[in-house]
Amino acid sequence: MRFDLADLQLFICIVDAGSITGGASAANLALASASERLRKMEGNSGMPLLLRHPRGISLTTAGEAVERHARIILEQHRRLREEMVALAAGHQETLRLYANSSALTTFLPGKLAAWLTSHPGIHIETEERASTDIVSSLLSGEADAGIVSDAVAAGMLKREPVAEDPLVLIVPLTHPLAGKEALFFVDIIAAPMVALYSTRALQRHIEQNAAHAGLALNIRIRLNHYEGLCEMVAHGTGVAILPAVIAARYQSRYPFAIVALRDGWALRRLCLCYRNDVAFSPAIRSLFDCLRQP
């Protein structure tokens, strides 16, 4: 089977456009040329990759496999080009490290500052993403490594704990629970709560543990970011659960009390996450060693 990069790029264009005509246009090819390339791809694979419909296309099982691998190959090729440009400009290497909010707030800055000082010429591209998105990026080859919560399933990825990331309860200063040092989740289950959208990994983690305990949350409002939660709590809207480092970041801006949670599931950890089947460069292995240090 022989597919070149132009074939794979065309195939992705067709999939993204939802039609051969639209894909040909996106790939700057004539429709006849695109159709001929696609015919040869299917001939080389020995099976159809697309199902043609009057209003577009759909993927066969073989087509889904080609799409999955094509995206990884094209992303790796893009990164290779960027790295060659960086090398030509005098940079040794660019590493892509994605991290969740907790990791970027307290864990990574000190670690990366010391490591970069001892590795001049190496660049690191950091990006804040939800832990679930980081796992997807690692599986697709978009990132070299990530720092995620251990509450997120990592599939076939390697995951190593590197730091504690406990969850805490934040409450208005006038709330009856404001003077408590620590509580169990069941103690606050009836309290009106300000929560993240259920699509956020943290909120799913909270709601799954409530369901396992046979409890139902009393959610007044859902928001999409931590700052909104903190502002709502400071104004007395309800209580909220969020990572301790995030609570500490916003406490001076939005006054509220922080109460520890005693439940085991609230004692989360940050984990170094990466693909175990990749041959990493010496620079990335050195970075991993740095992140593993206490």
Side-chain angles (χ1 to χ4, degrees):
M1 185 183 304
R2 297 179 60 186
F3 297 154
D4 61 28
L5 290 174
D7 291 335
L8 298 179
Q9 185 62 62
L10 170 63
F11 191 77
I12 293 302
C13 286
I14 291 172
V15 172
D16 290 344
S19 70
I20 298 174
T21 301
S25 176
N28 295 314
L29 290 174
L31 178 58
S33 297
S35 298
E36 178 62 17
R37 274 188 173 272
L38 183 59
R39 184 189 66 77
K40 289 182 177 178
M41 288 182 68
E42 291 182 317
N44 287 335
S45 64
M47 62 191 80
L49 303 177
L50 300 176
L51 297 176
R52 282 76 166 170
H53 307 294
R55 295 186 178 181
I57 54 92
S58 60
L59 292 171
T60 64
T61 301
E64 290 175 351
V66 171
E67 179 200 12
R68 183 170 64 254
H69 290 284
R71 292 190 188 277
I72 294 173
I73 292 169
L74 291 171
E75 172 62 22
Q76 290 175 335
H77 183 253
R78 182 187 68 80
R79 291 173 56 183
L80 173 60
R81 292 199 313 269
E82 290 182 356
E83 190 168 328
M84 292 300 101
V85 171
L87 288 169
H91 306 318
Q92 294 179 22
E93 192 172 355
T94 297
L95 313 180
R96 290 169 178 80
L97 178 65
Y98 293 170
N100 64 13
S101 299
S102 297
L104 280 177
T105 300
T106 58
F107 175 71
L108 281 178
K111 295 277 189 180
L112 296 183
W115 189 84
L116 284 169
T117 299
S118 61
H119 292 77
I122 295 182
H123 290 197
I124 294 182
E125 292 183 4
T126 59
E127 188 169 325
E128 181 176 347
R129 294 195 181 187
S131 292
T132 49
D133 293 338
I134 295 171
V135 168
S136 298
S137 297
L138 292 171
L139 290 171
S140 69
E142 179 183 344
D144 296 306
I147 306 294
V148 303
S149 165
D150 64 355
V152 174
M156 298 178 65
L157 297 174
K158 179 74 172 180
R159 194 171 61 181
E160 302 177 27
V162 291
E164 299 300 318
D165 185 35
L167 298 177
V168 296
L169 177 75
I170 62 172
V171 301
L173 293 176
T174 57
H175 197 281
L177 299 177
K180 301 290 186 180
E181 290 187 5
L183 294 165
F184 284 101
F185 186 45
V186 67
D187 297 327
I188 57 97
I189 196 67
M193 183 171 289
V194 181
L196 296 169
Y197 286 118
S198 55
T199 53
R200 296 289 296 270
L202 171 59
Q203 192 59 37
R204 288 200 302 271
H205 180 56
I206 295 170
E207 293 180 12
Q208 285 169 359
N209 282 280
H212 291 161
L215 304 172
L217 300 178
N218 179 14
I219 297 176
R220 291 194 68 191
I221 187 172
R222 291 185 186 271
L223 301 169
N224 197 39
H225 49 83
Y226 291 121
E227 184 172 3
L229 263 66
C230 294
E231 184 174 6
M232 285 281 186
V233 170
H235 282 83
T237 305
V239 304
I241 296 174
L242 69 168
V245 293
I246 303 297
R249 179 204 292 182
Y250 289 112
Q251 193 177 27
S252 61
R253 191 182 311 175
Y254 304 108
F256 49 75
I258 299 177
V259 182
L261 287 172
R262 297 184 184 274
D263 303 82
W265 58 264
L267 304 177
R268 306 187 312 169
R269 296 177 296 177
L270 294 176
C271 296
L272 171 62
C273 193
Y274 55 91
R275 289 180 59 174
N276 205 26
D277 58 348
V278 174
F280 290 113
S281 69
I284 297 181
R285 293 197 297 271
S286 172
L287 177 60
F288 285 2
D289 289 340
C290 172
L291 296 176
R292 292 182 182 115
Q293 293 175 3

